[in-house]
Coordinates of all heavy atoms in Angstrom, one line a residue:
S1 N -5.2 13.6 15.7 CA -5.8 12.4 16.1 C -5.7 12.2 17.6 O -6.4 11.3 18.2 CB -5.3 11.2 15.4 OG -3.9 11.0 15.7
G2 N -4.9 13.0 18.3 CA -4.8 12.9 19.7 C -4.0 11.6 20.2 O -3.5 10.9 19.4
S3 N -3.9 11.5 21.5 CA -3.3 10.3 22.1 C -4.3 9.8 23.1 O -4.9 10.6 23.8 CB -1.9 10.5 22.6 OG -2.0 11.5 23.6
R4 N -4.3 8.5 23.3 CA -5.4 7.9 24.2 C -4.9 6.5 24.7 O -4.1 5.9 24.1 CB -6.7 7.8 23.5 CG -6.8 6.9 22.3 CD -6.4 7.6 21.0 NE -6.5 6.8 19.9 CZ -5.9 7.0 18.7 NH1 -5.1 8.1 18.6 NH2 -6.1 6.2 17.7
R5 N -5.6 6.1 25.8 CA -5.3 4.8 26.4 C -6.6 4.2 26.8 O -7.4 4.9 27.5 CB -4.3 4.8 27.5 CG -4.0 3.5 28.1 CD -3.0 3.6 29.3 NE -1.7 4.1 28.9 CZ -1.2 5.2 29.3 NH1 -1.9 6.0 30.2 NH2 0.0 5.6 28.9
W6 N -6.9 3.0 26.6 CA -8.2 2.3 27.0 C -7.9 0.9 27.4 O -7.3 0.1 26.6 CB -9.2 2.4 25.9 CG -10.6 2.1 26.3 CD1 -11.1 0.9 26.7 CD2 -11.6 3.0 26.5 NE1 -12.4 1.0 27.0 CE2 -12.8 2.3 27.0 CE3 -11.8 4.4 26.4 CZ2 -14.0 2.9 27.3 CZ3 -13.0 5.0 26.7 CH2 -14.1 4.2 27.1
S7 N -8.2 0.5 28.6 CA -7.9 -0.8 29.1 C -9.1 -1.3 30.0 O -9.0 -1.0 31.2 CB -6.6 -0.9 29.8 OG -6.3 -2.2 30.2
D8 N -10.1 -1.9 29.4 CA -11.2 -2.3 30.3 C -10.9 -3.6 31.1 O -11.7 -4.0 31.9 CB -12.4 -2.6 29.4 CG -12.3 -3.8 28.5 OD1 -11.2 -4.2 28.2 OD2 -13.3 -4.4 28.2
L9 N -9.7 -4.2 31.0 CA -9.4 -5.3 31.8 C -9.1 -4.9 33.2 O -9.0 -5.8 34.1 CB -8.2 -6.0 31.2 CG -8.4 -6.6 29.8 CD1 -7.1 -7.3 29.3 CD2 -9.5 -7.6 29.8
R10 N -9.0 -3.6 33.5 CA -8.7 -3.2 34.9 C -9.9 -3.4 35.8 O -9.8 -3.4 37.0 CB -8.3 -1.7 34.9 CG -6.9 -1.4 34.4 CD -6.6 0.1 34.4 NE -5.2 0.3 34.0 CZ -4.8 1.5 33.7 NH1 -5.6 2.5 33.6 NH2 -3.5 1.7 33.4
S11 N -11.1 -3.4 35.2 CA -12.3 -3.6 36.0 C -13.1 -4.7 35.3 O -13.3 -4.7 34.1 CB -13.1 -2.3 36.0 OG -14.2 -2.4 36.9
P12 N -13.6 -5.7 36.1 CA -14.2 -6.9 35.5 C -15.5 -6.5 34.7 O -16.1 -5.5 35.0 CB -14.6 -7.8 36.7 CG -13.7 -7.3 37.8 CD -13.4 -5.8 37.5
Q13 N -15.8 -7.4 33.7 CA -17.0 -7.1 32.9 C -18.2 -7.4 33.7 O -18.5 -8.5 34.2 CB -16.9 -8.0 31.7 CG -18.1 -7.9 30.7 CD -18.0 -8.7 29.5 OE1 -16.9 -9.3 29.3 NE2 -19.1 -8.9 28.8
S14 N -19.0 -6.4 33.9 CA -20.3 -6.5 34.7 C -21.0 -5.2 34.6 O -20.6 -4.3 34.0 CB -20.0 -6.9 36.1 OG -19.3 -5.9 36.8
V15 N -22.2 -5.1 35.2 CA -22.9 -3.9 35.3 C -22.4 -3.0 36.4 O -22.7 -3.2 37.6 CB -24.4 -4.1 35.5 CG1 -25.2 -2.8 35.5 CG2 -25.0 -5.0 34.4
L16 N -21.5 -2.1 36.0 CA -20.8 -1.3 37.0 C -21.0 0.2 36.7 O -21.3 0.6 35.5 CB -19.4 -1.6 37.1 CG -19.1 -3.1 37.6 CD1 -17.6 -3.4 37.4 CD2 -19.5 -3.3 39.0
A17 N -20.6 1.1 37.6 CA -20.8 2.5 37.4 C -19.8 3.0 36.4 O -18.6 2.7 36.5 CB -20.6 3.2 38.8
V18 N -20.2 3.8 35.5 CA -19.3 4.5 34.5 C -19.5 6.0 34.7 O -20.6 6.5 34.9 CB -19.7 4.1 33.1 CG1 -18.9 5.0 32.1 CG2 -19.4 2.7 32.8
A19 N -18.4 6.7 34.8 CA -18.4 8.1 34.9 C -17.2 8.7 34.1 O -16.2 8.0 33.8 CB -18.2 8.5 36.4
V20 N -17.3 10.0 33.8 CA -16.3 10.7 33.0 C -15.9 12.0 33.7 O -16.7 12.7 34.3 CB -16.9 11.1 31.6 CG1 -15.9 11.8 30.8 CG2 -17.4 9.9 30.9
V21 N -14.6 12.2 33.7 CA -14.0 13.5 34.3 C -13.2 14.1 33.2 O -12.2 13.5 32.7 CB -13.2 13.2 35.5 CG1 -12.6 14.5 36.1 CG2 -14.0 12.5 36.6
V22 N -13.5 15.4 32.9 CA -12.7 16.2 31.9 C -11.9 17.2 32.7 O -12.5 18.0 33.4 CB -13.7 16.8 30.9 CG1 -12.8 17.7 29.9 CG2 -14.5 15.8 30.1
S23 N -10.6 17.2 32.5 CA -9.8 18.2 33.1 C -9.4 19.3 32.1 O -8.7 19.0 31.2 CB -8.5 17.6 33.7 OG -7.6 18.5 34.1
L24 N -9.9 20.5 32.3 CA -9.6 21.6 31.4 C -8.1 22.0 31.5 O -7.5 22.2 30.4 CB -10.5 22.8 31.7 CG -12.0 22.6 31.5 CD1 -12.7 23.9 31.7 CD2 -12.3 22.0 30.1
P25 N -7.5 22.1 32.7 CA -6.1 22.5 32.7 C -5.2 21.4 32.0 O -4.2 21.8 31.4 CB -5.8 22.5 34.2 CG -7.1 22.7 34.9 CD -8.1 22.0 34.0
E26 N -5.5 20.1 32.2 CA -4.7 19.1 31.6 C -5.0 18.8 30.1 O -4.3 18.1 29.4 CB -4.8 17.8 32.4 CG -4.1 17.9 33.8 CD -4.1 16.5 34.5 OE1 -5.0 15.7 34.1 OE2 -3.3 16.3 35.3
Q27 N -6.3 19.2 29.7 CA -6.8 18.9 28.4 C -6.8 17.3 28.2 O -6.4 16.8 27.2 CB -6.0 19.5 27.3 CG -6.2 21.0 27.2 CD -7.6 21.4 26.7 OE1 -7.9 21.4 25.5 NE2 -8.4 21.8 27.7
L28 N -7.3 16.7 29.3 CA -7.5 15.2 29.3 C -8.9 14.8 29.7 O -9.5 15.5 30.5 CB -6.5 14.6 30.3 CG -5.0 14.7 29.9 CD1 -4.1 14.1 31.1 CD2 -4.7 13.9 28.6
T29 N -9.3 13.7 29.1 CA -10.6 13.2 29.5 C -10.4 11.8 30.1 O -9.7 10.9 29.4 CB -11.5 13.0 28.3 OG1 -11.8 14.4 27.8 CG2 -12.9 12.3 28.6
H30 N -10.9 11.5 31.3 CA -10.7 10.3 32.0 C -12.1 9.6 32.1 O -13.1 10.2 32.4 CB -10.2 10.5 33.4 CG -9.0 11.4 33.5 ND1 -7.7 10.8 33.7 CD2 -8.8 12.7 33.3 CE1 -6.8 11.8 33.7 NE2 -7.4 12.9 33.5
V31 N -12.1 8.3 31.9 CA -13.3 7.4 32.0 C -13.0 6.4 33.1 O -12.0 5.7 33.1 CB -13.6 6.7 30.6 CG1 -14.9 5.9 30.8 CG2 -13.7 7.7 29.5
Y32 N -14.0 6.4 34.0 CA -13.9 5.5 35.2 C -15.1 4.5 35.1 O -16.2 4.8 34.7 CB -14.0 6.2 36.5 CG -12.8 7.1 36.7 CD1 -12.7 8.4 36.1 CD2 -11.7 6.7 37.4 CE1 -11.6 9.2 36.3 CE2 -10.6 7.5 37.6 CZ -10.6 8.8 37.0 OH -9.5 9.6 37.2
R33 N -14.8 3.3 35.6 CA -15.8 2.3 35.8 C -15.6 1.7 37.2 O -14.5 1.2 37.5 CB -15.8 1.2 34.8 CG -17.1 0.3 34.9 CD -17.1 -0.8 33.8 NE -16.0 -1.7 33.9 CZ -15.4 -2.2 32.9 NH1 -15.7 -1.9 31.7 NH2 -14.3 -3.1 33.1
N34 N -16.7 1.8 38.0 CA -16.6 1.4 39.4 C -15.4 2.0 40.2 O -14.8 1.4 41.0 CB -16.4 -0.2 39.5 CG -16.9 -0.7 40.8 OD1 -17.8 -0.2 41.4 ND2 -16.3 -1.8 41.2
G35 N -15.2 3.3 39.8 CA -14.1 4.1 40.5 C -12.7 3.8 40.0 O -11.8 4.5 40.5
V36 N -12.5 2.9 39.0 CA -11.2 2.7 38.5 C -11.1 3.2 37.1 O -12.0 3.0 36.2 CB -10.9 1.1 38.5 CG1 -9.6 0.8 37.9 CG2 -11.0 0.6 39.9
R37 N -10.0 3.9 36.7 CA -9.9 4.5 35.4 C -9.6 3.4 34.4 O -8.7 2.6 34.5 CB -8.7 5.5 35.4 CG -8.7 6.2 34.1 CD -7.7 7.3 34.1 NE -6.3 6.9 34.3 CZ -5.3 7.6 34.7 NH1 -5.5 8.9 34.9 NH2 -4.1 7.1 34.8
I38 N -10.5 3.4 33.3 CA -10.3 2.4 32.3 C -9.9 3.1 30.9 O -9.6 2.4 30.0 CB -11.6 1.6 32.0 CG1 -12.8 2.5 31.7 CG2 -11.9 0.7 33.2 CD1 -14.0 1.8 31.2

C-alpha cells in the first residue's frame, strides 16, 4: 500500500500551478502546487 504524505494546507486554496516530479532513484513521487510540495 506504500507510504505517503499529503498536506494541501501548505499552499492556499486557489487556482495555482500543479506539477509532478517522479524520482526513479528514490522511488518517490512529489506533487507541487505553486512551487511548494503538497
Side-chain angles (χ1 to χ4, degrees):
S1 63
S3 57
R4 61 272 185 200
R5 180 182 296 119
W6 194 285
S7 181
D8 69 332
L9 298 180
R10 283 178 174 164
S11 188
Q13 181 177 348
S14 61
V15 180
L16 297 171
V18 170
V20 180
V21 178
V22 178
S23 170
L24 299 184
E26 291 187 335
Q27 291 290 281
L28 291 175
T29 296
H30 306 257
V31 183
Y32 294 86
R33 188 178 63 216
N34 205 33
V36 178
R37 188 171 64 193
I38 59 171

